[in-house]
């Protein structure tokens, strides 16, 4: 792909007294570019495919800030591998605030981009930040009950003893009891679809900071979490990129929520939940996202 050459900078910003580590991709030779903020999926880190999208956005003249949530990867926060929905949404607020104060991007032209669990966050964040110009929600987690049904009642039951142990650990201030994020079908993991483990592992670079575990206490909060309900409150244009063969975030529920967004645009792909980061599905989705972002950020 032609376009701008890109320089990647290591940056960080404060969130609740901790530090979120991030990359800022700047298009060379573009003064005051608009900026899109990228957030990753469940228990992942920014090294797991976000750089590919960020690089392409920057080549198209849109600066990109890809960050890792607190408690994960090379961001700070104790205990490790703690997935707090409330804290992750606060990290988004901090990322937006950081983008607005930077002198190398246009803080008045900001968009958000989230994938998977981060795609759900992008919907909620967009509903809370009317000043944003646009949002992209990729194969988003929109409904915890739908995702729990995808895991199945037996899979959910397998997790309960560890969840109980971790809730007790939290109450007695001990280290979290961890559960596996992505596992083989039939194993004790949050995601056990046949493509979940290979899908995650395909995204982990050699020197990545990813750990395939998360504090078990998150499981019930995920089941209750329904970020799709915020779609009807999103005032700016929002692009939903939906995978038709999504084993983790069922597409039917996502489509129903996406249709409630007043300025929603929907694109569908003949792909699974983890296919979108690589190969031809990636090429298809990134072209659509660049077109959408360029249009609404006037890049």
């Amino acid at each position: 792909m032609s376009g701008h050459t890109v320089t990647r900078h290591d940056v960080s910003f404060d969130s609740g007294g901790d530090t979120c580590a991030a990359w800022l991709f700047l298009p060379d030779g573009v003064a005051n570019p608009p900026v899109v903020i990228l957030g990753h999926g469940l228990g992942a880190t920014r090294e797991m495919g976000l750089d590919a999208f960020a690089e392409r956005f920057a080549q198209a003249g849109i600066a990109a800030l890809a960050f890792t949530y607190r408690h994960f990867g090379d961001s700070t926060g104790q205990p490790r591998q703690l997935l707090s929905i409330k804290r992750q949404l606060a990290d988004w607020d901090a990322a937006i605030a950081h983008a607005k104060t930077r002198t190398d991007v246009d803080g008045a032209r900001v968009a958000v981009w989230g994938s998977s669990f981060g795609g759900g966050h992008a919907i909620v964040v967009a509903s809370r930040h009317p000043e944003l110009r646009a949002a992209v929600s990729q194969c988003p987690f929109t409904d915890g009950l739908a995702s729990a049904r995808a895991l199945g009642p037996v899979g959910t039951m397998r997790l309960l003893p560890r969840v109980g142990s971790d809730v007790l650990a939290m109450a007695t201030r001990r280290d979290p009891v961890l559960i596996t994020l992505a596992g083989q079908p039939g194993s004790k993991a949050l995601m056990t679809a046949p493509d979940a483990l290979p899908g995650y592992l395909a995204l982990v670079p050699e020197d990545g900071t990813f750990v395939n575990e998360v504090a078990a206490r998150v499981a019930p909060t995920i089941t209750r979490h329904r970020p799709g309900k915020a779609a009807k409150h999103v005032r700016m244009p929002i692009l939903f990129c939906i995978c038709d063969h999504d084993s983790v975030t069922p597409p039917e529920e996502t489509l129903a929520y996406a249709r409630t967004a007043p300025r929603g645009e929907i694109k569908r792909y003949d792909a699974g939940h983890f296919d979108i980061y690589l190969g031809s599905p990636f090429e298809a989705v990134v072209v659509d996202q660049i077109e959408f972002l360029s249009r609404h950020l006037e890049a």
Side-chain angles (χ1 to χ4, degrees), residues 33-141:
V35 59
V36 57
I37 300 167
L38 292 87
H40 54 74
L42 191 74
T45 59
R46 68 182 185 285
E47 299 98 302
M48 294 170 68
L50 261 56
D51 46 348
F53 286 92
E55 180 101 21
R56 290 288 283 272
F57 297 155
Q59 286 173 358
I62 302 166
L65 179 72
F67 73 99
T68 299
Y69 300 113
R70 281 179 285 175
H71 305 281
F72 292 93
D74 55 354
S75 294
T76 68
Q78 293 294 337
R80 303 308 293 162
Q81 306 306 117
L82 176 70
L83 198 159
S84 157
I85 293 166
K86 190 175 166 190
R87 286 187 190 201
Q88 292 197 349
L89 290 168
D91 294 345
W92 275 101
D93 293 340
I96 292 169
H98 176 71
K100 287 176 182 172
T101 60
R102 292 195 69 92
T103 54
D104 45 12
V105 300
D106 183 352
R109 290 185 294 157
V110 181
V112 292
W113 178 106
S115 192
S116 193
F117 206 65
H121 287 335
I123 302 169
V124 175
V125 169
S127 75
R128 293 179 179 179
H129 286 273
E131 77 280 10
L132 294 171
R133 290 288 185 94
V136 176
S137 181
Q138 174 173 287
C139 53
F141 173 98

Side-chain angles (χ1 to χ4, degrees), residues 86-297:
K86 190 175 166 190
R87 286 187 190 201
Q88 292 197 349
L89 290 168
D91 294 345
W92 275 101
D93 293 340
I96 292 169
H98 176 71
K100 287 176 182 172
T101 60
R102 292 195 69 92
T103 54
D104 45 12
V105 300
D106 183 352
R109 290 185 294 157
V110 181
V112 292
W113 178 106
S115 192
S116 193
F117 206 65
H121 287 335
I123 302 169
V124 175
V125 169
S127 75
R128 293 179 179 179
H129 286 273
E131 77 280 10
L132 294 171
R133 290 288 185 94
V136 176
S137 181
Q138 174 173 287
C139 53
F141 173 98
T142 54
D143 190 304
L145 287 172
S147 287
R149 280 200 298 275
L151 179 61
V154 177
T156 306
M157 291 299 288
R158 281 195 190 103
L159 299 177
L160 286 178
R162 297 204 75 108
V163 172
S165 302
D166 190 37
V167 170
L168 187 63
M170 182 169 65
T172 54
R173 308 252 162 127
R174 284 177 300 157
D175 288 341
V177 176
L178 301 175
I179 45 175
T180 305
L181 273 167
Q184 302 281 3
S187 67
K188 293 180 187 173
L190 276 178
M191 291 176 281
T192 56
D195 59 342
L197 184 59
Y200 257 100
L201 295 180
L203 298 176
V204 182
E206 289 278 307
D207 52 352
T209 56
F210 173 66
V211 178
N212 189 19
E213 289 180 316
V214 67
R217 70 192 71 162
V218 72
T221 69
I222 291 175
T223 307
R224 289 196 303 268
H225 188 43
R226 301 174 86 179
K229 294 176 86 164
K232 62 181 177 286
H233 302 300
V234 175
R235 295 282 161 254
M236 77 281 310
I238 179 168
L239 174 65
F240 294 91
C241 299
I242 300 172
C243 296
D244 284 339
H245 311 293
D246 197 317
S247 61
V248 177
T249 57
E252 302 76 23
E253 275 85 1
T254 300
L255 275 166
Y257 284 121
R259 290 182 180 128
T260 68
R263 299 177 68 187
E265 298 180 29
I266 297 170
K267 294 275 189 182
R268 298 175 66 169
Y269 303 90
D270 183 22
H273 187 81
F274 298 97
D275 297 334
I276 206 81
Y277 302 93
L278 302 163
S280 54
F282 166 75
E283 287 299 329
V285 74
V286 80
V287 166
D288 289 342
Q289 291 173 359
I290 288 169
E291 188 280 324
F292 171 83
L293 289 168
S294 298
R295 190 162 19 112
H296 296 296
L297 291 171

